[in-house]
Every structure is written in C-alpha cells, then in structure tokens.
Amino acid sequence: YDAYLKKTITVHKKTKQKESFWMEIFQILSNPSLELSFLDSFNDNTSASEVMMLLLQLENNFIDANLSYNLFNAEYNKQGVNATDLSIPSKYSHRLIFIYAKSFVQALDNFQRILKILSTYPTLPNGIPEIENKLLEFFPDLRGVRNSMQHMEDRIRGLDNKNKPLKLQPINDGFINAPNGAYAFDNLHDTKFKTTMSNGYYGEIDIY
C-alpha cells in the first residue's frame, strides 16, 4: 500500500514545490507514531475513537486527492489524442477530466477541514500545523471554489453564500477578459479548474 502511494505521487515538472509538499504529507501520515501521539493525551474512549476516525478520514481524503490527481493527469495528457478509445459518446468522455478535477477539489477540501479540527487537539505531532498553512498557500481559493461547486444553483442565480446578490469582480486571466466581471462556472483552463466564487472573484485550483 505505502509503496503504491509513493509511486503515485508524481507531479508535473513546473510544480516541484507541490511534489515536496505531497511527500511531506505522505511521510507524516505514514508515520506509525502519528496515531499514538494523538491518543496519548486522551483518557476516555470517546475522544480516542473520535481522533482515530478523523485520522482515518484524513488519510482517505489524501488518497482520494492523490488518485484524482493521477486520473486527471492521465486524462489531460491524452486529450485530443485517444478521445475515441472510450466506447461512450464524446460529450460524456469530455466530462471525465472535469469529474477528476472536481474529485480532487472535494477531497482536498475535506482533507483541509479535517486537518483544521485535528489542529485543535492538545497533543499535536510535528508538521501538522505547517501542512494546513502550506495547503492554503498553494490553494488559496480552495474553500471558495468548493463552496461554489456545491452551491452552483445559487451562483448561477447571482447569489452569494448568504443569498445576497453577488458583486462580480473583474476577470482577465488570458482566457476571459471581463472588466465588469462575469458569471463563469465549471471551467477548465489548461490544468486550472475555475469558477465564480461567492465573493464575486473568479477562483481557481491549479491541479498541477
């Protein structure tokens, strides 16, 4: 299992920093003392059980994000080359890469939220707080993009996360030039998954 996970952590050459980051997470999660370092500070079974479940879901979502990345990578590299290999209509096969991108965003958001909860526990293994900080540095729009993914019906109607009118912000990213802003949803520009967020900005998650 560990050998397989290590093998799947392969990142495009332009994101070597992310490669180091993923490996840092892997090393922390695969450390046998991780669970013990948390559990040693609890005397009751309820708290210990809670931490164990959180750690399990932390690892599961890391694996989900990693697998989604690799599936996205494979699909991205074959776009326009082997699109006819699938025995399904092109309008469906075209959506595969979007599914992988969204799966990556969702798993990464789950990972970050669980990590945030674990960071509140008294006994904290080395590296845990740094992981959350680095994650948000690499993906500052993570929560905003994930939120719009889950509440697309509101964004399409021009509503923010409080059901108030969205205040669109200018977009000029090389693909869209909209000085007054625009409603742009569920877009994939190269390796960047993009959507209009609740704050009116055009958020992005660069999967590479």
Side-chain angles (χ1 to χ4, degrees):
Y1 161 76
D2 285 351
Y4 170 75
L5 190 56
K6 281 182 180 177
K7 186 177 180 181
T8 64
I9 302 176
T10 54
V11 182
H12 195 271
K13 62 182 181 181
K14 69 180 180 181
T15 54
K16 288 299 182 181
Q17 287 183 319
K18 283 184 184 176
E19 180 179 48
S20 299
F21 178 55
W22 298 135
M23 286 305 302
E24 182 181 344
I25 296 175
F26 169 76
Q27 289 167 0
I28 290 174
L29 294 182
S30 60
N31 188 336
S33 65
L34 175 64
E35 195 172 287
L36 291 175
S37 63
F38 271 108
L39 299 183
D40 282 347
S41 62
F42 297 104
N43 296 319
D44 60 288
N45 291 331
T46 301
S47 296
S49 175
E50 180 181 286
V51 170
M52 288 180 68
M53 285 189 286
L54 284 168
L55 287 172
L56 175 62
Q57 290 306 313
L58 187 73
E59 182 179 35
N60 285 346
N61 279 282
F62 174 66
I63 294 171
D64 289 354
N66 194 267
L67 290 175
S68 298
Y69 162 79
N70 281 278
L71 289 168
F72 176 92
N73 185 23
E75 190 67 25
Y76 175 79
N77 287 326
K78 77 173 186 178
Q79 286 290 300
V81 179
N82 298 316
T84 58
D85 289 350
L86 298 172
S87 57
I88 57 176
S90 59
K91 67 181 295 184
Y92 287 88
S93 61
H94 170 71
R95 293 299 302 172
L96 282 174
I97 196 167
F98 288 87
I99 291 173
Y100 302 146
K102 289 181 178 182
S103 177
F104 177 82
V105 173
Q106 184 66 63
L108 207 60
D109 182 69
N110 287 341
F111 180 83
Q112 187 271 327
R113 284 187 289 164
I114 294 170
L115 199 61
K116 190 176 185 67
I117 295 299
L118 286 172
S119 296
T120 66
Y121 285 92
T123 303
L124 201 61
N126 292 332
I128 293 291
E130 290 75 17
I131 287 179
E132 185 183 8
N133 292 335
K134 287 182 181 178
L135 186 69
L136 294 177
E137 285 178 13
F138 282 125
F139 307 102
D141 293 336
L142 178 59
R143 181 55 53 86
V145 169
R146 196 281 308 170
N147 187 271
S148 283
M149 278 171 44
Q150 297 297 103
H151 300 283
M152 189 64 66
E153 74 286 354
D154 292 331
R155 301 298 170 270
I156 289 174
R157 292 182 298 150
L159 300 175
D160 64 13
N161 57 1
K162 295 180 180 179
N163 284 322
K164 293 183 178 180
L166 261 175
K167 296 181 180 179
L168 293 174
Q169 303 298 321
I171 303 175
N172 186 4
D173 66 348
F175 291 91
I176 297 176
N177 184 13
N180 297 318
Y183 292 109
F185 306 107
D186 201 17
N187 291 326
L188 196 58
H189 297 161
D190 197 32
T191 62
K192 297 176 181 178
F193 180 79
K194 298 191 170 193
T195 193
T196 297
M197 301 186 294
S198 175
N199 60 8
Y201 286 92
Y202 194 39
E204 69 176 41
I205 299 294
D206 193 347
I207 298 171
Y208 271 0

